[in-house]
Amino acid sequence: MQSSQSQRPPVDSHSALFPLRVSTLENLYYCDDCSSLRCTRCVVEEPAGYHCPNCLFEVNTTSVRSEKNSCARNCFQCPVCTHVLSVVESSEGERPFSLSCTLCCWNSREIGWEFEKATGISAQIERLRAAEDAPREYSALLDYWRTVQRVSAASTAAAGAGSFKQRLAVSNTSVVPEYRTVAGSSDTEQVRVAELMALENADYVPYTSDPRRNEPQRIRLHMKLARRCCSCHHILIKPMPKAQATQFKIQLMAANFLPTITLPSRLSLKYPPQSLEGPFAVGRALPVILRFANPLYTEMKVGVSTCSPGDVRVEVISKQFTLPPYTEPWEYDDDEDDDSSSDLHNSSSDQRAGIVDRHGNRVAIQLSVTPLVPAPNLVVPLYITCSHIDDIDGEKDRSSSAVSKSSSRAVTDSFWIYVILGSAQ
């Protein structure tokens, strides 16, 4: 299915990009503000909420930035098997608590991590890291200032004699190097990735003595995404902010606004089953039955047209028909009993118009497809135009306590569908 504001030529079914330019009805969104179909590639995504996948704790945007997109509670991953670590207690030592993996039996005591309390593990780990990083940072600072002194002494001795140009050249070459933090540096992983990308042999991965490679890492946060229309920025999908909730506040799917089009294997006992598997005989007309179902509670008018490609000729018998509004399934039997006489009277006129079956909110029409070249599969393009009246109930005016008249608008949608006949259907 492909959205279209005007009847433009369809997508070439023989193109390699054909699977990327079409989507099924279940994977499309519908913007009721600009009356357009939207696929997953033409929407704008934005975060609707953050939560920890382990403890399901909801995190606001400010905390996400300050906590570096990680859970600030007692949620850690095992450095060996990435399983979730649990806090265990032992009766030995002044710090009886530690992190333990129930899958591979790894324990944080192996790297000297022991905690005084079972809560606030993240804060205790930060204090342990600060205590470990302080000596390394101090030694790095000493090495840096020794280098600065050597460079300064060399430049002073060289600048004592010589012309002005020579002293200027010596001062330009003896530039003091920039100091980089060693403890808690965020560039360690970037430098390692740069070294791996610069390797000539990608199969060889050098061993890096990263001091934190054996430390447990905090679990990354997950986020729920909201999706907006790329044209009018109207909200299409908005999930509930609760981490446990699976419902949506707003869910504008195309299946709730556009008719569902299917290829029924068999309508009823009086119709033979459809044989739509290839190969197809060239020049022999193949009857194809399409069934349209109306998802709306209002009547929908449907128009069907086509432009026959070079490998198939398509004839649409019923080009205009009306889909009845959707009703509850338990009301179908009562309606059929009341309208049994009218259905018998209109059956002959429906057959002449190309309509082969009516049931509830569904209408089945027949197409005539004639292959012109031998092919195992046939792609039939159809241009569908749907129009219905959207009722907009008037709102009550609080100041005057009067109710305005209900208004309505005509909504028209047009799009291309591609019916694939053969072994790939």
Side-chain angles (χ1 to χ4, degrees):
M1 181 176 291
Q2 181 190 18
S3 176
S4 176
Q5 300 296 334
S6 60
Q7 190 170 0
R8 60 173 182 258
V11 179
D12 185 11
S13 60
H14 301 287
S15 174
L17 299 178
F18 177 75
L20 301 177
R21 299 190 61 182
V22 295
S23 302
T24 58
L25 183 64
E26 294 79 9
N27 296 329
L28 293 177
Y29 308 104
Y30 183 82
C31 180
D32 57 354
D33 196 6
C34 58
S35 300
S36 301
L37 285 173
R38 299 301 178 195
C39 65
T40 56
R41 295 184 297 273
C42 55
V43 294
V44 179
E45 294 183 345
E46 60 183 21
Y50 298 89
H51 67 276
C52 175
N54 182 44
C55 62
L56 300 181
F57 181 73
E58 299 174 18
V59 185
N60 53 29
T61 307
T62 306
S63 300
V64 170
R65 295 178 179 178
S66 61
E67 297 296 337
K68 299 179 181 180
N69 196 30
S70 302
C71 182
R73 308 180 83 184
N74 299 348
C75 300
F76 290 87
Q77 287 182 344
C78 176
V80 179
C81 63
T82 68
H83 192 262
V84 179
L85 298 177
S86 57
V87 181
V88 295
E89 183 180 4
S90 64
S91 58
E92 300 177 359
E94 299 179 356
R95 298 178 178 180
F97 298 99
S98 62
L99 295 174
S100 177
C101 179
T102 58
L103 186 62
C104 65
C105 300
W106 181 87
N107 196 283
S108 62
R109 297 180 184 275
E110 299 178 6
I111 58 174
W113 281 13
E114 298 176 353
F115 311 104
E116 299 176 354
K117 300 183 297 181
T119 58
I121 300 295
S122 299
Q124 298 183 60
I125 289 178
E126 292 298 329
R127 289 195 295 268
L128 290 174
R129 285 178 173 174
E132 294 175 357
D133 293 341
R136 293 194 299 130
E137 188 73 23
Y138 180 73
S139 61
L141 280 172
L142 287 179
D143 295 340
Y144 173 74
W145 286 113
R146 286 174 185 148
T147 305
V148 171
Q149 290 179 355
R150 286 196 300 269
V151 172
S152 178
S155 60
T156 303
S163 62
F164 174 76
K165 292 183 178 180
Q166 293 178 352
R167 291 196 300 268
L168 182 62
V170 171
S171 62
N172 290 336
T173 55
S174 58
V175 179
V176 178
E178 182 183 359
Y179 177 72
R180 295 187 174 221
T181 304
V182 175
S185 176
S186 60
D187 299 335
T188 305
E189 189 65 22
Q190 299 179 2
V191 172
R192 181 175 181 272
V193 172
E195 292 176 355
L196 294 178
M197 293 177 63
L199 290 177
E200 297 180 357
N201 187 7
D203 296 332
Y204 171 70
V205 179
Y207 175 80
T208 57
S209 58
D210 189 359
R212 295 184 179 178
R213 58 185 175 86
N214 291 329
E215 295 181 0
Q217 302 296 325
R218 293 192 294 176
I219 294 181
R220 297 292 183 180
L221 298 178
H222 288 191
M223 67 177 176
K224 291 186 176 182
L225 291 176
R227 295 182 175 181
R228 294 179 178 268
C229 177
C230 62
S231 178
C232 62
H233 294 279
H234 185 64
I235 297 179
L236 303 178
I237 296 293
K238 186 175 183 180
M240 298 290 289
K242 295 292 183 180
Q244 300 90 341
T246 58
Q247 296 83 9
F248 292 87
K249 281 187 176 180
I250 301 175
Q251 189 178 20
L252 301 180
M253 304 300 297
N256 299 328
F257 296 89
L258 301 179
T260 304
I261 306 173
T262 56
L263 284 167
S265 58
R266 191 167 189 172
L267 290 175
S268 61
L269 295 177
K270 62 181 180 179
Y271 291 99
Q274 296 192 86
S275 178
L276 301 178
E277 295 184 358
F280 304 100
V282 178
R284 182 179 177 182
L286 176 68
V288 177
I289 296 177
L290 293 181
R291 183 163 58 191
F292 294 75
N294 185 8
L296 302 177
Y297 288 94
T298 59
E299 191 178 72
M300 180 182 294
K301 296 181 180 180
V302 180
V304 182
S305 60
T306 184
C307 60
S308 299
D311 55 351
V312 64
R313 183 173 67 249
V314 184
E315 181 182 358
V316 181
I317 302 175
S318 180
K319 297 184 178 181
Q320 297 285 340
F321 56 92
T322 303
L323 291 177
Y326 174 79
T327 55
E328 300 298 336
W330 51 79
E331 298 179 2
Y332 286 155
D333 297 336
D334 299 337
D335 296 340
E336 290 175 359
D337 295 339
D338 297 337
D339 300 338
S340 58
S341 59
S342 60
D343 290 344
L344 293 175
H345 178 73
N346 296 329
S347 59
S348 60
S349 60
D350 287 346
Q351 290 180 359
R352 289 194 300 268
I355 298 176
V356 298
D357 184 63
R358 287 181 181 269
H359 181 74
N361 64 328
R362 301 187 295 270
V363 173
I365 65 173
Q366 184 174 353
L367 309 177
S368 179
V369 179
T370 305
L372 302 180
V373 295
N377 302 318
L378 297 178
V379 179
V380 180
L382 296 175
Y383 188 74
I384 308 298
T385 303
C386 306
S387 60
H388 67 278
I389 303 299
D390 188 11
D391 295 331
I392 305 175
D393 296 333
E395 297 182 355
K396 186 176 181 180
D397 190 357
R398 297 180 180 177
S399 59
S400 61
S401 299
V403 179
S404 61
K405 295 183 180 180
S406 62
S407 58
S408 60
R409 62 168 184 170
V411 180
T412 302
D413 303 306
S414 57
F415 49 88
W416 286 95
I417 69 168
Y418 300 89
V419 182
I420 302 177
L421 307 177
S423 58
Q425 65 174 338

